């Protein structure tokens, strides 16, 4: 008995274990397209809001904001992004690097800031060619002058270089798991400063910054995983912008986004010919409400409405309408010509004749009943009298 109980318990345990094993599924939150996980417009946005480069780095890695969703070393944790700077005269080159291991870095983007002779500042955010392809550049136009500009051209300015590295991070930072791309896009649209404009361009304005970047560029992933480069992932497109133009889900959903189209679908067909027809119908004030919009039928319906004729569920044929009206007029004329005092013809009795007939019938019936009673009285009186005489 004990053996059977132990055996059944073991079978039950194995069955439950198999169910739990089947219930565990691994979800890959990262997108197969690496560039989906870091929006350059978000980098440009927080750069314009930062007080200095230290504050800029803090916002890049703030777990509450989660500007980045990159996991280039596949450890299921979003990579820390450090900031380093190189300066030559009026040109500032800010490099954003992903920390992937001990002394292991990969450049993801650069911010090139240059001031000209007229003290006009030009800013470009350039995506790394490994992640975004050739010449993927956003040029922000800030609604107000960023505070960070005031720190760049000061006496005794020292270029910024992050003090953080692998497994040594600031206290506010903790690693988080990458999320699905659709959720990352939604998060970016919340934290983007849409008072600014982010214009896509294909030409780098600052040639000095290009020369400054070449000797210090970090390219660990490019050397270790060359087949993950954008040119291998998307052979038909030069950069991320061209890829976005052919994708169903664009890189944003706000009206100021570059990839945004001003056509609202609302579950309808966006055929331009049908759209034009719908617009013309709206302009002329014609509303179908599920009816046929044939202009000939529309004009016929308008004429019928102006003549005061209203048909509900009937045919709008004008010939049948006129025939029906003539029949109605004839019936009305015959009804008016008929009087209630005329004698009925053809065996049809009028109301007056019917009343006279009923009166006569009542009078004759009363007379017949009176005569019958009198006759019965005579017949009954004579035999009784005879019987009395006999007695």
């Amino acid at each position: 008995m004990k053996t059977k109980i132990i055996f059944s318990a073991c079978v039950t345990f194995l069955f439950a274990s198999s169910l739990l094993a089947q219930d565990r599924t691994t979800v890959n939150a990262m997108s197969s397209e690496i560039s989906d996980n870091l929006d350059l417009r978000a980098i440009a946005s927080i750069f314009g809001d930062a007080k200095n480069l230290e504050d800029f780095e803090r916002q890049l890695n703030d777990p509450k904001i989660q500007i980045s969703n990159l996991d280039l070393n596949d450890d299921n944790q979003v990579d820390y992004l450090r900031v380093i700077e190189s300066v030559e005269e009026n040109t500032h080159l800010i490099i954003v690097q992903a920390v992937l291991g001990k002394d292991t870095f990969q450049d993801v983007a650069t911010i090139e800031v240059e001031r000209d002779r007229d003290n006009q500042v030009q800013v470009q955010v350039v995506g790394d060619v490994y992640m975004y392809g050739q010449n993927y550049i956003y040029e922000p136009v800030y609604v107000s002058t960023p505070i960070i500009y005031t720190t760049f051209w000061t006496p005794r300015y020292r270029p910024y270089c992050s003090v953080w590295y692998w497994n040594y991070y600031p206290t506010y930072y903790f690693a988080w798991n990458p999320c699905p791309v659709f959720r990352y896009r939604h998060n970016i649209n919340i934290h983007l400063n849409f008072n600014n404009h982010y214009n896509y361009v294909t030409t780098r304005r600052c040639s000095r910054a290009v020369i400054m970047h070449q000797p210090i560029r970090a390219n660990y992933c490019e050397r270790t995983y060359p087949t993950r480069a954008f040119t291998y992932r998307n052979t038909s497109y030069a950069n991320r912008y061209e890829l976005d133009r052919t994708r169903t889900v664009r890189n944003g959903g706000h009206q100021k986004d570059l990839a945004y189209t001003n056509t609202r679908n609302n579950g309808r067909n966006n055929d331009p010919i049908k759209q034009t027809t719908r617009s013309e119908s709206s302009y002329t004030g014609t509303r179908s409400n599920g009816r046929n919009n044939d202009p000939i039928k529309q004009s016929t319906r308008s004429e019928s409405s102006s003549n005061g004729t209203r048909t509900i569920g009937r045919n709008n044929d004008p010939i049948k309408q006129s025939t029906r009206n003539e029949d109605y007029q004839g019936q009305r004329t015959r009804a008016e010509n008929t009087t209630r005092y005329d004698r009925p013809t053809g065996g049809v009795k009028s109301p007056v004749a019917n009343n006279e007939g009923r009166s006569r019938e009542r009078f004759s019936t009363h007379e017949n009943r009176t005569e019958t009673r009198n006759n019965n009285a005579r017949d009954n009186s004579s035999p009784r009298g005879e019987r009395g005489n006999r007695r």
Side-chain angles (χ1 to χ4, degrees):
M1 186 66 181
K2 292 182 180 180
T3 305
K4 292 182 179 180
I5 294 173
I6 295 172
F7 178 77
S8 61
C10 292
V11 171
T12 304
F13 177 78
L14 291 175
F15 181 75
S17 300
S18 63
L19 288 177
L20 290 174
Q22 291 176 1
D23 221 26
R24 295 175 183 174
T25 56
T26 303
V27 178
N28 185 13
M30 291 290 295
S31 171
S32 58
E33 176 54 46
I34 300 175
S35 59
D36 284 338
N37 299 287
L38 183 61
D39 196 325
L40 295 188
R41 299 171 307 150
I43 293 179
S45 178
I46 64 174
F47 179 78
D49 297 336
K51 299 177 182 178
N52 48 47
L53 289 180
E54 183 179 1
D55 183 44
F56 172 62
E57 182 177 357
R58 183 191 63 79
Q59 294 187 50
L60 275 177
N61 299 281
D62 191 347
K64 298 179 181 179
I65 304 176
Q66 298 186 6
I67 293 298
S68 174
N69 197 45
L70 280 175
D71 182 16
L72 296 179
N73 56 359
D74 296 330
D75 62 350
N76 201 29
Q77 291 183 348
V78 174
D79 303 325
Y80 184 86
L81 301 179
R82 75 167 189 168
V83 177
I84 60 175
E85 183 186 21
S86 179
V87 180
E88 286 188 11
E89 297 181 0
N90 289 334
T91 302
H92 289 248
L93 175 67
I94 298 101
I95 305 173
V96 180
Q97 294 180 341
V99 180
L100 306 179
K102 186 177 181 180
D103 298 329
T104 305
F105 309 99
Q106 171 64 48
D107 288 4
V108 295
T110 59
I111 304 175
E112 300 170 3
V113 185
E114 187 176 34
R115 186 177 66 174
D116 58 17
R117 296 177 181 178
D118 298 329
N119 291 328
Q120 299 295 322
V121 181
Q122 297 176 348
V123 181
Q124 287 186 327
V125 181
V126 184
D128 189 79
V129 63
Y130 176 78
M131 292 183 53
Y132 300 94
Q134 296 286 342
N135 298 325
Y136 184 67
I137 306 168
Y138 273 102
E139 197 170 83
V141 179
Y142 298 110
V143 66
S144 59
T145 303
I147 301 175
I148 198 172
Y149 290 174
T150 60
T151 63
F152 283 167
W153 293 279
T154 57
R156 299 179 182 179
Y157 178 80
R158 297 180 60 182
Y160 179 79
C161 183
S162 177
V163 297
W164 312 110
Y165 49 87
W166 178 254
N167 284 337
Y168 181 69
Y169 303 118
T171 55
Y172 66 83
Y173 172 80
F174 61 86
W176 65 91
N177 302 120
C179 62
V181 175
F182 73 91
R183 191 182 302 169
Y184 173 71
R185 288 196 185 99
H186 177 71
N187 179 64
I188 289 301
N189 288 331
I190 293 175
H191 292 96
L192 270 178
N193 186 351
F194 283 107
N195 293 321
N196 306 322
H197 296 271
Y198 309 96
N199 301 322
Y200 172 77
V201 296
T202 57
T203 305
R204 300 176 75 168
R205 296 181 179 272
C206 185
S207 57
R208 183 185 296 273
V210 178
I211 299 173
M212 293 167 56
H213 186 215
Q214 289 178 354
I216 58 176
R217 178 172 178 263
N219 59 349
Y220 170 79
C221 291
E222 186 175 359
R223 291 182 288 103
T224 308
Y225 311 105
T227 56
R228 296 184 184 178
F230 186 90
T231 54
Y232 284 91
R233 300 194 309 266
N234 306 281
T235 57
S236 302
Y237 309 104
N239 56 22
R240 167 62 187 269
Y241 178 78
E242 293 185 2
L243 176 63
D244 278 343
R245 304 300 292 177
T246 60
R247 300 171 79 182
T248 304
V249 179
R250 301 291 178 87
N251 190 22
H254 195 274
Q255 59 183 1
K256 293 185 180 179
D257 294 352
L258 184 63
Y260 177 81
T261 55
N262 199 22
T263 303
R264 293 184 66 183
N265 190 356
N266 291 334
R268 299 178 181 177
N269 194 354
N270 288 331
D271 189 355
I273 299 176
K274 295 183 178 180
Q275 290 286 345
T276 306
T277 305
R278 188 179 297 112
S279 300
E280 292 176 355
S281 300
S282 301
Y283 175 75
T284 55
T286 304
R287 189 174 183 182
S288 63
N289 290 333
R291 300 176 182 175
N292 193 354
N293 289 330
D294 189 354
I296 300 175
K297 294 184 179 180
Q298 288 287 347
S299 61
T300 305
R301 189 178 296 112
S302 300
E303 292 175 359
S304 301
S305 300
S306 62
N307 292 332
T309 304
R310 186 177 183 185
T311 59
I312 302 176
R314 298 179 181 177
N315 194 351
N316 290 331
D317 190 353
I319 299 174
K320 294 183 179 181
Q321 286 288 346
S322 61
T323 305
R324 189 178 295 110
N325 293 333
E326 291 175 358
D327 294 341
Y328 174 74
Q329 292 294 337
Q331 292 176 4
R332 185 173 180 179
T333 302
R334 287 193 295 271
E336 290 176 354
N337 293 332
T338 304
T339 59
R340 60 180 297 186
Y341 299 103
D342 292 342
R343 288 285 182 179
T345 58
V348 180
K349 296 181 179 181
S350 65
V352 177
N354 289 334
N355 292 332
E356 293 177 355
R358 292 193 190 97
S359 300
R360 291 176 182 176
E361 288 177 1
R362 291 175 181 175
F363 181 73
S364 59
T365 303
H366 179 70
E367 290 179 350
N368 292 332
R369 289 178 180 175
T370 304
E371 292 177 358
T372 303
R373 289 177 182 175
N374 294 332
N375 293 330
N376 291 331
R378 292 192 196 100
D379 294 338
N380 293 329
S381 62
S382 54
R384 289 178 182 176
E386 294 178 355
R387 289 177 184 175
N389 294 329
R390 290 177 181 177
R391 289 176 183 177

